Amino acid sequence: MLSQSKQQRLVNLFSSTGATKICRTLAVTHFLQTDPSLDECDQLIKSGLSVGATLRRSGFAISKATFTETTLLSGPTFYELTNREVAIGTRLRAQVYALNVCCNEQTLPYAIIAEAYHPDHNPVAHPKASMNALQRRTVEDVLSSLRATAQGTHLLLT
């Protein structure tokens, strides 16, 4: 995990070759209000565990729907996170999507997630979703945070 606030978390999802970690996905997650039945999972996720894996392990089904897809340019931060594999100025595929949880026989919004991908990583495609005004502001916010981090000049390691 790179950094965390009450509503947002920035993570470096990586693969390892020996002691070398190479970022495959840089993600900014904006957490939404949750159903009380998700409280235990929510605490585990916000402490650093994987969103999808933690929810699934607890018996919840999840669904994802893409709000927008775009490209970002990598900067010094992404260059360092990829163990200097991805040159500064490389175009990175990015997307912002809604992650929903099936809970108590209803589908509940859980998070809005922005992800930028290593050029060799091909993420799974999700169905498209439309946005309301509040979601649009959140999408713009997480995408702006992701862009600033991917293109940033320093690591946000804590």
Side-chain angles (χ1 to χ4, degrees), residues 10-116:
L10 172 67
V11 295
N12 167 16
L13 306 169
F14 59 88
S15 61
S16 297
T17 305
T20 304
K21 295 178 182 178
I22 299 172
C23 177
R24 299 295 176 205
T25 304
L26 184 62
V28 174
T29 302
H30 177 90
F31 296 99
L32 304 169
Q33 295 295 322
T34 63
D35 186 274
S37 62
L38 295 171
D39 285 350
E40 186 177 327
C41 284
D42 195 50
Q43 288 176 351
L44 292 170
I45 290 164
K46 289 178 180 173
S47 73
L49 295 181
S50 164
V51 175
T54 302
L55 290 166
R56 285 186 200 100
R57 236 186 339 269
S58 296
F60 296 105
I62 63 170
S63 64
K64 299 176 182 180
T66 300
F67 288 126
T68 189
E69 295 178 297
T70 189
T71 58
L72 307 175
L73 295 177
S74 66
T77 299
F78 204 81
Y79 176 70
E80 292 298 328
L81 289 173
T82 61
N83 196 37
R84 301 181 176 152
E85 255 189 28
V86 177
I88 294 170
T90 301
R91 288 185 146 336
L92 305 174
R93 181 173 170 209
Q95 69 175 330
V96 182
Y97 62 90
L99 186 136
N100 301 305
V101 178
C102 297
C103 177
N104 297 329
E105 298 184 27
Q106 56 184 324
T107 300
L108 303 170
Y110 182 75
I112 295 177
I113 302 172
E115 295 180 339

Side-chain angles (χ1 to χ4, degrees), residues 93-153:
R93 181 173 170 209
Q95 69 175 330
V96 182
Y97 62 90
L99 186 136
N100 301 305
V101 178
C102 297
C103 177
N104 297 329
E105 298 184 27
Q106 56 184 324
T107 300
L108 303 170
Y110 182 75
I112 295 177
I113 302 172
E115 295 180 339
Y117 307 104
H118 186 288
D120 294 339
H121 180 65
N122 294 312
V124 175
H126 311 297
K128 299 289 184 193
S130 58
M131 293 180 262
N132 62 36
L134 180 59
Q135 289 168 325
R136 183 173 304 282
R137 283 192 297 276
T138 303
V139 165
E140 290 169 357
D141 183 44
V142 294
L143 191 53
S144 176
S145 294
L146 181 65
R147 182 175 283 113
T149 302
Q151 296 173 351
T153 57

